[in-house]
Amino acid sequence: MKPFSMMLSMLVIGMTSGTVMAQGSNVAHATLPNASLPNVSPANSELVNRGAYIARAADCMACHGEDYTGGTAIETPMGDIYSTNITPSKRYGIGDYTEKDLKNALQKGRAPTHMLYPAMPYPSYHGMNDEDIKALFAYLQTVPAVDEAPKQKTDLPFPFNIRVLMLGWNFLNVPATENREGLSPTQQRGEYLVNNLEHCGTCHTPRNSTMGFDKEKYLSGAQLGHWYAPNITPDESSGIGSWSEQDIVTYLRTGELDQRAYAGGPMGEAVAHSTQYLTHEDLSAIASYLKAIPAVQTDDKVSAVDVARLPTPINDSITHDLLAQKDYLAQAKADAGNSSNSPESLYLATCGSCHGVNGYGQPDAQYSPIVGLSSIRRDNPDALVNIILHGVVGSTNTSPIMPGFADQLDSEQIASIANYVRVNFGGLTDSDVSAADVEHIASTGNEQPFLIKYAGLLAIIGIIVAILLIIFIIRAIMRKRRQS
């Protein structure tokens, strides 16, 4: 299930009361990457192959699947929204779409027969240029048509099922971003990719009172259900100010940055389906733009890496020798003693077989190292705790899936593991995550904003008030006529 914290506040306003182009669109497009990009073939036209690249840059597959048949659940405070079939099927997909229909869907959130929910990120796609939309449309006509509907269909409760009320929300929140002045051509291209195609703000920008983007806190981090998309502004203490442009390129290409970051969850999906396929020129443009945006400091600061406090590998070869690791882990468990609830014993029992006794993982088996990761050095432990609770999907299709332990460990045990990892592999001097903290973090993704939680009641009250108001007006008119 893909999280998407989007509350349609204008929808509630409607109930209770009764084309911008990115500057980067004019930049010459970079050459396509190598043949590792799926669905690109010399047999296709240049336009179609360009569209295949745009589909990757826009991360269409993360929601609609590699076969574009949809069915992915996107978690929202109003309920689950399911992605649709966008193959050329005339009955179940977009086979009857014209290029203008696709443009309206991407830029305005309007399908031929209904309004779309912003789980499809049209507030960001609003800035897509006509050239890219034309290429994407040409490409989508070539993918195999699948004549079946997703197994599940979006069925939001009243009043969120009244799609026409999206008109008010769109008026306030589309487009989601504005172009900045003073950017170089490379940074303009990066702005177009970040703001529009990759729609990074959808996850990384907090929401304002209408649940549109809070533009004053652009890309400074936001809660996404059980996940937290971190601050990616160039702030030194809470963002990625210490990353070089090459670091950003490496992370977006591989999903990993040694002793700093590992892409999992929604970001892992973005790397797996999208950013790993972008050209070096486009990744460099993204990096250049992210270094140029205003830095926003948040309370969720990241402690600097204290290399002296980080563990060292046992030896140069053991991380590639699974049999040696197995023996070393068995010895470490024996040395930890009989207390199965000690922090060390809990880590070795639940995490050590994959991440290693010293946290350096198993590169050959793609079990990630966790030493020095920024997610375990943050003041806010939510990201680490959620990973332990819910598990994580890696950044490539072949990465192992880490299981969640919410059903196997209690809150005290999860807190112990979190503290052990933060101190021993994050280099922190201490960590005081408590069982109460774990329980609070576990429930955060289930919280609903006030207006969402009571939307049905507010809608009924709004309807009653509107009816009473109409009756009052009619009676006043009739009384005036009698008097005249």
Side-chain angles (χ1 to χ4, degrees):
M1 184 175 292
K2 301 173 70 58
F4 184 85
S5 295
M6 182 71 71
M7 187 273 288
L8 308 181
S9 154
M10 190 59 199
L11 184 67
V12 177
I13 294 174
M15 295 179 301
T16 56
S17 64
T19 300
V20 175
M21 296 293 180
Q23 292 177 359
S25 66
N26 296 322
V27 178
H29 294 305
T31 56
L32 288 174
N34 59 33
S36 63
L37 178 66
N39 304 327
V40 169
S41 167
N44 295 336
S45 70
E46 182 179 349
L47 183 65
V48 168
N49 282 339
R50 179 65 197 166
Y53 183 76
I54 296 302
R56 289 290 167 183
D59 201 10
C60 302
M61 297 77 174
C63 289
H64 294 282
E66 290 287 336
D67 59 0
Y68 301 102
T69 57
T72 300
I74 303 166
E75 182 183 355
T76 80
M78 300 82 67
D80 292 342
I81 296 174
Y82 293 91
S83 61
T84 56
N85 181 333
I86 58 170
T87 73
S89 168
K90 290 185 177 295
R91 182 174 182 182
Y92 299 106
I94 60 172
D96 286 330
Y97 269 40
T98 63
E99 185 178 322
K100 184 177 180 180
D101 289 334
L102 181 63
K103 182 176 181 178
N104 285 336
L106 291 170
Q107 294 186 335
K108 301 177 181 180
R110 295 180 183 176
T113 60
H114 59 273
M115 300 296 296
L116 301 177
Y117 294 115
M120 200 285 275
Y122 62 83
S124 295
Y125 289 160
H126 179 84
M128 284 183 67
N129 63 60
D130 290 347
E131 180 186 1
D132 285 350
I133 293 174
K134 181 180 183 66
L136 179 61
F137 179 75
Y139 165 66
L140 290 176
Q141 304 309 300
T142 69
V143 303
V146 179
D147 291 319
E148 61 182 50
K151 294 181 180 179
Q152 293 177 292
K153 184 179 180 181
T154 299
D155 185 19
L156 298 184
F158 173 82
F160 304 113
N161 57 349
I162 305 175
R163 290 179 180 254
V164 70
L165 295 177
M166 285 304 305
L167 289 170
W169 190 91
N170 292 345
F171 176 78
L172 292 179
N173 297 298
V174 179
T177 56
E178 299 172 357
N179 297 325
R180 297 183 59 225
E181 297 181 353
L183 299 179
S184 69
T186 295
Q187 290 167 343
Q188 288 178 356
R189 175 64 179 169
E191 180 181 57
Y192 179 63
L193 288 163
V194 169
N195 290 359
N196 305 132
L197 291 184
E198 289 288 351
H199 53 278
C200 303
T202 298
C203 292
H204 290 277
T205 299
R207 305 286 167 170
N208 58 28
S209 59
T210 69
M211 291 311 292
F213 285 3
D214 183 345
K215 296 178 183 179
E216 296 298 316
K217 298 179 180 178
Y218 177 58
L219 298 180
S220 64
Q223 190 71 40
L224 301 167
H226 292 299
W227 292 98
Y228 184 80
N231 184 343
I232 56 172
T233 74
D235 180 66
E236 290 284 343
S237 61
S238 58
I240 57 173
S242 64
W243 292 24
S244 68
E245 290 186 20
Q246 184 55 51
D247 289 338
I248 297 173
V249 170
T250 299
Y251 179 71
L252 294 176
R253 175 73 72 197
T254 66
E256 298 181 27
L257 200 58
D258 187 41
Q259 295 192 355
R260 271 178 287 181
Y262 178 82
M267 188 63 209
E269 293 175 350
V271 174
H273 294 292
S274 179
T275 60
Q276 69 166 319
Y277 296 110
L278 297 190
T279 65
H280 179 76
E281 292 85 355
D282 275 353
L283 291 180
S284 297
I286 290 174
S288 180
Y289 175 66
L290 289 178
K291 298 294 284 187
I293 63 175
V296 179
Q297 186 178 90
T298 65
D299 293 334
D300 187 20
K301 295 181 173 60
V302 182
S303 298
V305 176
D306 185 350
V307 177
R309 295 184 59 83
L310 297 180
T312 57
I314 301 162
N315 57 53
D316 292 336
S317 64
I318 194 169
T319 56
H320 300 280
D321 187 337
L322 301 187
L323 293 178
Q325 278 201 41
K326 181 179 178 181
D327 293 340
Y328 191 81
L329 176 61
Q331 185 60 52
K333 288 180 178 179
D335 293 342
N338 297 323
S339 177
S340 60
N341 268 331
S342 73
E344 181 181 14
S345 295
L346 285 168
Y347 170 80
L348 294 174
T350 57
C351 316
S353 61
C354 295
H355 296 296
V357 173
N358 284 29
Y360 282 92
Q362 299 174 11
D364 289 350
Q366 297 191 47
Y367 290 110
S368 66
I370 58 176
V371 174
L373 295 183
S374 60
S375 58
I376 64 179
R377 290 186 283 110
R378 289 189 171 276
D379 290 350
N380 187 335
D382 290 27
L384 174 61
V385 170
N386 272 318
I387 288 173
I388 299 171
L389 282 168
H390 305 293
V392 66
V393 177
S395 59
T396 68
N397 295 333
T398 57
S399 298
I401 297 175
M402 174 182 163
F405 294 95
D407 295 331
Q408 301 178 36
L409 302 175
D410 60 34
S411 298
E412 190 69 45
Q413 292 172 318
I414 290 174
S416 293
I417 294 174
N419 289 326
Y420 181 84
V421 168
R422 282 161 62 82
V423 170
N424 288 275
F425 306 133
L428 303 184
T429 55
D430 59 67
S431 177
D432 58 356
V433 180
S434 67
D437 292 332
V438 172
E439 291 169 4
H440 173 72
I441 294 168
S443 64
T444 297
N446 298 321
E447 295 177 352
Q448 286 185 312
F450 175 84
L451 292 177
I452 292 294
K453 187 174 182 179
Y454 298 103
L457 177 61
L458 291 172
I460 293 172
I461 292 174
I463 292 171
I464 293 174
V465 169
I467 292 173
L468 291 175
L469 182 60
I470 292 172
I471 293 173
F472 175 80
I473 292 172
I474 293 174
R475 291 185 65 182
I477 293 172
M478 293 177 66
R479 187 181 303 115
K480 187 174 181 179
R481 288 179 175 176
R482 289 194 207 102
Q483 293 174 349
S484 61

